[in-house]
Amino acid sequence: MTEMALQLQLQTQACHDEIGRYMVEVGAMIPRLTADVGRIGVGLNGMREDASLLVSSSSSASVAAVADGGGKDDLVVLSSLHSLRDNLLEARTILEAASSWDSTVASMYELLGSISGGGGDDADAAVSDTLTEEKASSSSASSHADGGDTSKVAPTANTQESAALALGKVVEALGKLEYGADALDGTPGSEERLEEIQSFRSKIEVLLKPMLLRALQLQATGPLSHCVSMYKTLNKLDILKVEYVKSRPANIHKLWYTFNVRADVSFPVWLSTTWYDACLTLITDERRRIASIFGDDDAPAVTAEVLHECFRPLTSSFESRFLAYTKSNSHDVVCDVYRDTLRFLSAAYDQVIGCQLNVVENIFVSIIQPFAPYLVENDSRYMAISLKALMDPIQSSGTNNNNGENKEAHDTYGSITDATQQLFPLVKMSLARYETLCCGCQAIDFINSIDAVVGEFTNELSIQISTLSASFKNDMNDSLDNNILQTCLESLKMAGMFLENLSAFGQLLQERFRSLLTGIDSSVKQEVQGMPDSLSTGEVGVMVARSVIGKKDEKKNIADLQFICELLPQDITKKLLVSSFASATKLGKACKRLVFDACVALPEKMLMSLNENYNWGENVVDGEDIMRNYSILPQAYITQVGEHILALVQALEPFAASEENVMYANKVMSSVDEVARESWMELVALMGCIPGQDDTVISSIIHGTNLPDFVQGIQFDQEEDDDNDSEDLDESHVFCNHWLAVVSTAIVGRLLERILRINYLGSKGCKHLAADLGYIENVFLALGIDGHPHHLLHHFYTLASTDLSKQIDILKSRKLMDDMDKIEEAIAQAESRFLQIQR
């Protein structure tokens, strides 16, 4: 009896517990049932309103038909019927959503519970705990069907495949819930429904993440496609794309870090032949794979992101590795690697066609980020380094040349010649680097930087040539050294070739910039027209260069390129390479001065001591043998000068025999007469002329123009002159005659200046002077060059051969003239000084 009483008591307690649970469930169901009744009431009210509207519309139509004599306007009735149908459908949708909401929620809890119970991930366990707690308080029909204590239900073990199928059903059910929430929008409990949907979304995303990672790890197309469909339903496809893009280049990143710096293959070779090829293979495969997973529409954009992800995590490593390699290599290596990178991007572009052009451009710019400093920085620094390497041997030999050794001077000239031959290949390499890196952007900045560097280099060459001039001048003081003179003449050829190469480089600049302008115009049009079918290496380079350095001042840059392309050939060098052209002109002047100094070194030495080392004050002694006076011979100084001039004819011919030598030398022969001007400046000062005020008079005196009207000029044989003019002189003879005329003009100017500086000229000294001047005049006649003998030289010869009294009469008659020309005033000044040294 006691045992039976105890069992009865236990059963009674169990009944009370079960009744308590039922009461709790019923209490939880009452609010939901109330909400459902409310929703049904809203639907019925809508139907009542529609029925009333239909009745009133029918009545109005009947009255109107009777009033109009039986009108047949059935459109009103038809419209009302359509409205009624729409309202009934909406009411049915609301009722279906309201009736299925709880069952759908319950089924989702069951499915989520089964998935979380079978998973092994921490995220799945967390979702399982949450679901258990919420399910305990839920009043869903499925909870009641399970019976017993829900907190004691253990998770069911499922395979990954069954979990994926179950999760797919959950996602499908979530779509049904969202549809129902839209249908029930505006009814009581809308906010709670939205919160519940959001909660389900969070749980599904947590469960989807490990499934996605497993699919990505397995690289299986089927599971990935299944994940895509679920993420698309959740409107979270972007999350899946991000995870997909991150996972794909994993092998590429491993390959990057397998490179061994100490390996036999260099980094640029490994980069272009191994790593870029691996990246391109990956992108090509990914384009097909992505199309099958995400669809053809999304394939270009996702492929572009995969391409970006191949490089994005490696940017800093790329920069450090690239910088470490380029420190010990030339700037050309940078361009080679950059060119290989552009080729890779051109090939990769074929796999991202269909993506927006600005997106592709941004990805390409991020990929070439390690090269950006080289795009922004002008090439002038690297050019300066290269040119310094050329200049160091010249400066070193020039320093050694200070001791006056002839061999050192020749070594210096050899270094200068080598430097000029290597300069323009270096400049062309700089242009090629600019084309590769900048593609026409910042054109004027590049030209100015190269112009400045080349100009500075050429100025340094001119300084070294001037140093050589002083050295060679010292070596030529005693005799004419043909080897030195040939070296000096070769410098003219060098200067002419320099000017020719500078002009050719200017034309090359214009030609290349025309091509670059075409490339920039094409790139601008592509931005307007949209995605092109393909991009060449050059087009990729233009796109990247414009984005990095060009778009800020693109209008100005295009205008600069157009200005360069429209220049006339003869204006290119003068207007683009201003500093270089000025320096080249200066180099030409230095080389002309070098030749001139070598030619006049000996005559200058002999003439500079004319007024000091000879007995000019000697007079004729009464009773002296008159025949002796007629046998006065030219003095040694003037014969050495004459022999030097005659020897120059033979010395100039070997160089002038080459048409090539003369062709290049003539390019810098303009204004060569100016080098002889210095020898005349002291003379014209003694004649009362002031430089800057009397330049026209000074020029007439130096060149002998207009002088025959005022002096006792030499009478040339007109027939002989006509015969000489009729001869067709070749370039070789013209070149030799030109230099002989310059040297002769300088010698005449120095000779006359030194004569006027004689302290005292006696009668016998005057006869010696006349003999000297007559000798040098005959030398000039023998040469047969234009303008010589100089008219002023012959006038001095006439004065030296004339008695003192007649000289005084000539000067008096000249001064009696009322309107003396400025030239005549200068000649009178010279005559007056000549008289003074004889008294």
Side-chain angles (χ1 to χ4, degrees), residues 263-470:
D264 295 336
V265 62
S266 65
F267 172 68
V269 174
W270 177 85
L271 189 70
S272 59
T273 59
T274 302
W275 200 67
Y276 281 159
D277 287 348
C279 290
L280 189 59
T281 301
L282 173 68
I283 297 304
T284 304
D285 294 341
E286 282 301 313
R287 176 61 188 256
R288 294 191 295 268
R289 181 185 180 87
I290 292 170
S292 64
I293 295 174
F294 294 97
D296 292 334
D297 293 339
D298 290 339
V302 179
T303 306
E305 290 300 325
V306 173
L307 171 63
H308 185 205
E309 189 64 21
C310 289
F311 290 84
R312 184 192 59 78
L314 306 176
T315 300
S316 59
S317 176
F318 195 118
E319 289 178 352
S320 59
R321 188 179 293 181
F322 185 62
L323 182 61
Y325 183 81
T326 54
K327 276 184 178 179
S328 58
N329 293 275
S330 67
H331 194 44
D332 294 319
V333 174
V334 176
C335 294
D336 292 340
V337 177
Y338 183 70
R339 202 176 290 113
D340 291 337
T341 304
L342 294 181
R343 292 194 191 100
F344 163 73
L345 294 178
S346 174
Y349 175 82
D350 295 338
Q351 306 304 323
V352 297
I353 294 176
C355 185
Q356 293 183 4
L357 188 60
N358 63 325
V359 174
V360 175
E361 179 180 329
N362 292 335
I363 292 174
F364 283 5
V365 169
S366 67
I367 290 174
I368 62 95
Q369 194 60 37
F371 301 92
Y374 299 95
L375 271 67
V376 176
E377 185 179 27
N378 279 324
D379 199 59
S380 57
R381 182 167 68 89
Y382 304 97
M383 270 295 296
I385 295 173
S386 301
L387 296 185
K388 185 179 183 301
L390 293 182
M391 186 56 66
D392 285 344
I394 301 174
Q395 293 175 336
S396 177
S397 59
T399 302
N400 296 332
N401 188 41
N402 291 334
N403 56 18
E405 290 291 335
N406 184 273
K407 181 180 181 303
E408 298 294 344
H410 280 283
D411 291 342
T412 301
Y413 175 74
S415 300
I416 292 174
T417 304
D418 292 341
T420 55
Q421 291 174 351
Q422 297 176 44
L423 171 64
F424 286 99
L426 288 175
V427 174
K428 290 177 182 178
M429 290 170 62
S430 178
L431 175 60
R433 291 193 293 266
Y434 167 80
E435 290 184 78
T436 299
L437 295 171
C438 300
C439 301
C441 299
Q442 298 180 344
I444 294 298
D445 291 343
F446 166 73
I447 292 175
N448 289 342
S449 64
I450 294 300
D451 183 35
V453 173
V454 173
E456 183 179 352
F457 176 79
T458 312
N459 284 334
E460 187 64 31
L461 291 181
S462 300
I463 294 173
Q464 296 299 324
I465 290 288
S466 299
T467 304
L468 281 180
S469 181

Side-chain angles (χ1 to χ4, degrees), residues 669-694:
M669 284 289 286
S670 60
S671 304
V672 69
D673 298 337
E674 294 298 320
V675 295
R677 188 179 181 87
E678 182 181 332
S679 303
W680 284 78
M681 295 312 295
E682 295 183 36
L683 174 62
V684 295
L686 293 173
M687 297 172 71
C689 297
I690 302 174
Q693 296 182 10
D694 304 320

Side-chain angles (χ1 to χ4, degrees), residues 217 349 458 503 545 571 765 812:
Q217 185 177 6
Y349 175 82
T458 312
S503 176
D571 295 334
K812 284 182 178 180

Side-chain angles (χ1 to χ4, degrees), residues 479-529:
S479 62
L480 179 61
D481 189 328
N482 285 330
N483 291 331
I484 292 180
L485 183 58
Q486 292 304 313
T487 300
C488 296
L489 290 170
E490 286 289 338
S491 72
L492 283 179
K493 178 183 177 181
M494 176 199 70
M497 292 179 68
F498 186 93
L499 199 60
E500 175 76 9
N501 289 332
L502 183 63
S503 176
F505 177 68
Q507 294 178 7
L508 177 64
L509 272 179
Q510 188 180 56
E511 176 186 340
R512 299 310 305 148
F513 278 118
R514 281 200 182 107
S515 176
L516 294 174
L517 176 60
T518 302
I520 290 178
D521 287 340
S522 176
S523 180
V524 172
K525 290 178 182 177
Q526 286 174 354
E527 288 186 349
V528 178
Q529 296 172 356

Side-chain angles (χ1 to χ4, degrees), residues 591-608:
C591 293
K592 287 184 287 187
R593 186 72 196 186
L594 178 65
V595 175
F596 175 77
D597 287 344
C599 290
V600 301
L602 177 60
E604 280 277 335
K605 178 185 177 183
M606 303 307 298
L607 295 176
M608 288 302 291

Side-chain angles (χ1 to χ4, degrees), residues 714 716 776-778 780-781 785 787-794:
I714 190 170
F716 295 105
I776 200 66
E777 220 178 53
N778 289 329
F780 290 141
L781 283 171
I785 54 179
H788 291 281
H790 198 282
H791 293 292
L792 198 57
L793 173 65
H794 186 70

Side-chain angles (χ1 to χ4, degrees), residues 112 115-128 159-161 163-164 167 201-220 223-224 226-227 230-231 234 239-240 243 247:
L112 289 174
I115 296 171
S116 61
D121 297 278
D122 294 339
D124 296 345
V127 173
S128 177
T159 64
Q160 293 180 359
E161 183 177 357
L167 192 57
R201 274 184 166 277
S202 301
K203 297 177 180 64
I204 293 171
E205 289 176 15
V206 171
L207 292 172
L208 266 179
K209 186 68 174 288
M211 185 181 297
L212 172 62
L213 295 178
R214 282 194 294 269
L216 292 174
Q217 185 177 6
L218 295 174
Q219 299 185 5
L224 277 175
H226 187 56
C227 290
M230 288 189 286
Y231 272 98
L234 296 173
I239 296 176
L240 186 147
E243 294 297 331
S247 67

